[in-house]
Structure formats: C-alpha cells, structure tokens
Amino acid sequence: MAFLRKLSIRSQLIILAACTIIVILIVIFHSYSMMSGMVTRNHEAYVEQTVSEIRKNVTSNKDVINRLMQNISYNGEVQRFLVEGNDLLKYEQFKDLSELLTNQKELKEGILDIVISGANGAWIDLNGGNQYVASLQQEVPPKVNAYYVGMQKFGSLYGSGEGLIFATPIYYKEQGDMFNRLVGTLFFIMNPKALAGEQEYASKQYSSHIYLLDKDQKVITSNSEEPVGSLLQDIPEGEQSDPNAMIEWNNKKYVMQTVSVPDIDGSILSMAPKDELLADLLDIRKLELTILGICLLVLVIPFTFIVNNILRPLKRLIFFMTTVKRGDLLKFKKRISLQGYMEISIMATELNSMLDEIDHLTQRLLETNAELYGIELEKKKSELAFLRSQINPHFLYNTLEAITGIAVVEGQSKIKTMTRSLSNIFRYSIKGGDVVPLREEVRMIESYVQIQQIRFADRFSVHYDISEEALAFAIPKMILQPLVENAIYHGFEPTLKAGELWIKGSIDGQGKLFLTVEDNGTGMELSRLEELRNRMSASSSAMPEAEDGGSIGLVNVNNRIKLMFGPEYGVSMDSVLGGGTQIRLTIAERRESDA
C-alpha cells in the first residue's frame, strides 16, 4: 500500500482500471467454469436417465415377449400340431393356430410376425417370415426362452428393412415316448424400435449420440442419423470396457460410456463429442470477451476525459502553489480560479481563503511591528526627557540634609519638616527598582503632602482608605504622585476655601488594583474634561510639551500604565465644575514578590 501511495494519480487510476478488467475476466472465466460444470452434470444426468429408460424398456419388453413365447410354446394345440403326422388334421389345426398366433401378436405392439417351425418340417407363420428364420433353428441354444438370435433384413415383407428375431425351442410336454423332445422352434420377429419403447430418443440434446446395440454391434435404435441395422465401424477395440472412455472416432474426440444389456446380450453406447459438448458455452465466452473488448475501447474515451478532468486542475493548482512558494510578492497577491469537480473547487476556494488570511495576518504583523517600534521610540523619548529634566539627585539629597541640620540648630521646625520630607522624596526616587509596593509609594505621598500642607497653610486635609491587600500590590514607581499633585494645584490652589483630598485603594475579585484620587476642589469645565480624555485615549506617538500644563503628568501616567499592562488599563477621570475631580487608576495584578 505504501508503494501505491507514492504513485501518481494517473498511474493509480490505470492500475484501478486494470484491476477492474482482471476482476471482470475472472468473473467471466469463473462463470464459464461453473456453467461448463453444470452442462457436464446435466449431460451426465441426461445420459443416465436415457440409458436407464432404454434399459428398463428393453427389460420390460423382453419380459412380455418371454411370457408370450411361453404361452405359445406350451399351448396344447401347438404341441399336437408339431407332432401330428396326418396332413388333414394339420390343416384343420392350422386355422385354430393362426387365430391363436394372431391373438398373441395383438397383445404386444411391435411384433411383426410369429413363426412356428417344426422339427419334422411343419411350420406356420402369420406374414410369411418362415422362409427367413427356418434356417436359424440350429443357432438357438437348448433350454432357453426368448433367446435373441440377431437382426436380419426382411426386404419389403414387413414394410421395414430390419427386424429383431427372438427364438424359443419347443419341447413336447405330454407323457410318452416324445416327452421333453425338441419338436420345433418358436420365432418372434419384432420392430427394432419397439424393443426400446415408444419414447422418442432421437433428441439431439447436448450433441450426444446414444446407441442401443445388439451382440453384433448393430444399431437397434439411436438418436443419431445412423440407420437401424448398421454396424458401428472403426470404434477402437478394447475401449468400450471403460465406462467413461475417451476415444477418437471419425477424427473427433468423444467421451464414451457403455452400459451392458444382458437381455439381448447387447449394450447401450453413449458418445458425446468433447468439443461440441461445450460449443455453445465457448461461443458465449467468445461473445462476452468480444463485448468486453468493445466496451473497453468505448470506455477509453470517457476514461481519458475523466483522468484529464482530474489531473489538469491539479497540475494548475500545483503550479500555482509552486509559484507562491517562491516568495514573489506580486504572485502572492494573485488568486487561483479552478472550474472543475467539486473537490478541486473547494480546494481552490480554501487555498484562496488561506492566502487571504495570510495576507491579513501579514498586514497585522506589519502594523504590530510598527506599533511596537513607535512604543519603543516613545520609551526612548521619555527616557531622554527624564534625563534632561534631572539634576544630580545625590547632590540635592546631600544639600537638603545639610539644610535640615541647620534648621534643627536654628529651631526652624517648618523648614526642618519640609526639608526632611523633600529628602525622603529624593531618597525614594533614587533608590530601589522601578516597581515598588504601594505602601512605599504612599509613604512618599505622605512626605509630599506634608510639604504642600505647609505651603498652603493647612487649607486642605488628606484621608487615606487603602486596604492591607492593596498596600502589598506592586506598582510602577512615582505613578501616584502626579495625580496628587494635579489635585492640589488644579483643585485647591485656585480657591481659598478649605478642601479635602481622598486617596483610596482596593483590589477586585479578578486581582486588579483600583486607585482613586478624589478632591472637592474647583473641578473643570466639560470641554476641558473631554480634551483631557481625548489626549489620554489617543496613541501617544510624541511626548506632550511643557506648555500642556498639568495634563502632562496625567498623560505620562496613563501612557506608562498602558505600556506596562496593556490598553485595557490606565487612567480615567470625571470632574464637575465647582464639585471636584476624581481620577481613577486601574492596574493589573503584580504582587511584590513578582516585582
């Protein structure tokens, strides 16, 4: 099977056609074999049945002849006629005997003549047969009944040329000197066909020849054209002893069967021509093979058409796939259209769909690469801007520590608090990684708020509502400070009334962190709110400029979150003019242990 799978479709179809032809030929020859066996068996059954009927009829007719001859032989008038010496009395007996013989003749159809021939020269017959059989008395064995003497020509005496002769010696039965002495012979002359019965055995069925032969091999009856009384000549001697002998006769081969018929010391011979026995089947087989050959020639045209119909679209498909495989972008944009059978049309459609999908995925890949390149470029710009805006943090930190020491010596508590808080902010910014627990970010926010509360003379208060689970959440460093700064400078600075600032943190069931910075300051107009929302939702391909005001912090925070966690995370805000502003951060789960 592996070998067949490697062959081309054309070769496989040719092999399939060859196998089909072989199977048809096997069926034809097998059918011929079965039919020849059936014909042979039917022939054998026909021969056996015919031979059995002929033999049965011969035996039956021989028994009838035997009884009739016994009746005549032991008749008293016949006995007296054969020993009577007075011619006058013989004449008177002749009339009665003629009537007796006539009555006996009518009891069996086919009896041509009955002849009584006496040893003393007296005789009597019905149709003049004595002249032919009188000389045969010496050939009749003693003490036999209905002995078959043979077949003899009688000219036109009985209307047929041949007759069968049966004889019975007549012995005197009366007590006396003549007791048990041979006094004459009784002859029956019969029509040959009557011996085998009245059935028609001349059928030419199966071309078999069946002959009923006497002891001299003369034909008594047959279903062939051999005349009655003819002698079968040139049959190989010694072959007839074989019940199923194969002989050659008249330049033909025959299957010969021989069955003996003891009643006439003859035989029944059946001869079937070997070639003619299956001649009709041979003609049928030749006709079937001829029809098969014609059908194959006729089927070559549609077979060739179907093969080409299958292979031509496949070749086009293979050529197209080879062209696409070479990587030619212009060829890659083309699509194949195949008009043919359903399977190849589906393959072409699916291939075109696959190429469309590849083209679409390639376009998406290019767009994704461009987007990643833009993100990387933005990151580099952010790093550059950050470096530009920095001064040496270690120098500032050391300077602030010196100012704190002087403030303690001079007793300036506010200066000490501000410088200490600012020092904490700088320490937080220059130490540690880029991702920190929320609690560290909150400590830095507390330092930042202390500075702003001193600056604004406690015009606002701060409330913290952050769960312990949220405090352990890992967040990007300096992500919360811009939001608190925005609330103080844009919510509380423009007004003189006291304000409140709420910083809340919680984690939902999906592990997301929600941070809220809410104030009750001045708020903003709807147009300004929509402008900020649009700037945060737009793709940030460039860093916002400094003149963008306080929005630069919000936009930067939003961009950082989206770059780190994905587009579904970031900053959202709501504001009501005169009612305050709420800024909400959504960050994906990232525990301290993952930082």
Side-chain angles (χ1 to χ4, degrees), residues 109-129:
E109 186 178 0
I111 299 178
L112 301 176
D113 201 354
I114 299 177
V115 179
I116 299 176
S117 181
N120 59 359
W123 57 272
I124 183 173
D125 59 21
L126 296 178
N127 296 313

Side-chain angles (χ1 to χ4, degrees), residues 72-83:
I72 296 174
S73 298
Y74 291 101
N75 185 272
E77 293 183 2
V78 173
Q79 296 269 326
R80 287 190 294 272
F81 174 78
L82 293 176
V83 297

Side-chain angles (χ1 to χ4, degrees), residues 432-455:
D434 293 333
V435 178
V436 297
L438 178 60
R439 62 169 51 89
E440 294 186 10
E441 183 82 2
V442 171
R443 292 194 193 104
M444 186 273 295
I445 293 300
E446 291 175 347
S447 298
Y448 177 78
V449 168
Q450 284 182 348
I451 295 174
Q452 297 300 334
Q453 284 179 331
I454 293 174
R455 178 189 172 199

Side-chain angles (χ1 to χ4, degrees), residues 544-555:
E545 299 297 334
E547 55 267 22
D548 290 342
S551 64
I552 184 173
L554 295 177
V555 174

Side-chain angles (χ1 to χ4, degrees), residues 474-486:
I475 63 171
K477 184 185 288 187
M478 299 298 290
I479 204 74
L480 192 58
Q481 185 272 336
L483 307 184
V484 176
E485 180 181 358
N486 183 79

Side-chain angles (χ1 to χ4, degrees), residues 204 206-209 211 224-226 233-236 239 245-256 270-279:
K204 298 292 183 179
Y206 305 115
S207 300
S208 297
H209 303 311
Y211 303 94
S224 69
E225 297 179 355
E226 291 289 334
Q233 299 177 350
D234 301 328
I235 295 179
E239 298 288 347
M246 181 70 68
I247 65 170
E248 185 171 350
W249 184 54
N250 293 338
N251 297 323
K252 287 185 179 181
K253 290 185 177 181
Y254 291 85
V255 178
M256 185 178 70
S270 67
M271 299 176 64
K274 183 179 179 182
D275 295 334
E276 295 181 11
L277 185 63
L278 302 176

Side-chain angles (χ1 to χ4, degrees), residues 337-395:
S337 176
L338 295 178
Q339 300 296 329
Y341 49 96
M342 181 180 66
E343 290 81 0
I344 197 67
S345 299
I346 293 175
M347 289 176 62
T349 302
E350 293 299 324
L351 178 61
N352 291 334
S353 300
M354 183 183 69
L355 293 177
D356 292 339
E357 183 67 19
I358 292 174
D359 193 20
H360 176 67
L361 292 176
T362 302
Q363 187 65 29
R364 287 183 57 187
L365 180 61
L366 293 175
E367 293 176 356
T368 303
N369 288 337
E371 184 177 351
L372 291 176
Y373 177 76
I375 292 173
E376 185 67 22
L377 182 61
E378 182 177 347
K379 181 179 178 182
K380 295 297 182 181
K381 288 181 179 180
S382 299
E383 292 176 355
L384 180 60
F386 178 74
L387 291 175
R388 287 176 179 175
S389 63
Q390 286 192 100
I391 59 176
N392 193 323
H394 292 282
F395 170 74

Side-chain angles (χ1 to χ4, degrees), residues 249-298:
W249 184 54
N250 293 338
N251 297 323
K252 287 185 179 181
K253 290 185 177 181
Y254 291 85
V255 178
M256 185 178 70
Q257 295 179 344
T258 305
V259 178
S260 63
V261 183
D263 295 305
I264 58 174
D265 197 18
S267 62
I268 300 175
L269 182 66
S270 67
M271 299 176 64
K274 183 179 179 182
D275 295 334
E276 295 181 11
L277 185 63
L278 302 176
D280 293 339
L281 288 182
L282 289 174
D283 293 338
I284 293 175
R285 186 177 68 175
K286 291 179 181 178
L287 180 61
E288 288 178 344
L289 293 176
T290 302
I291 294 174
L292 176 62
I294 295 174
C295 292
L296 291 177
L297 291 177
V298 173

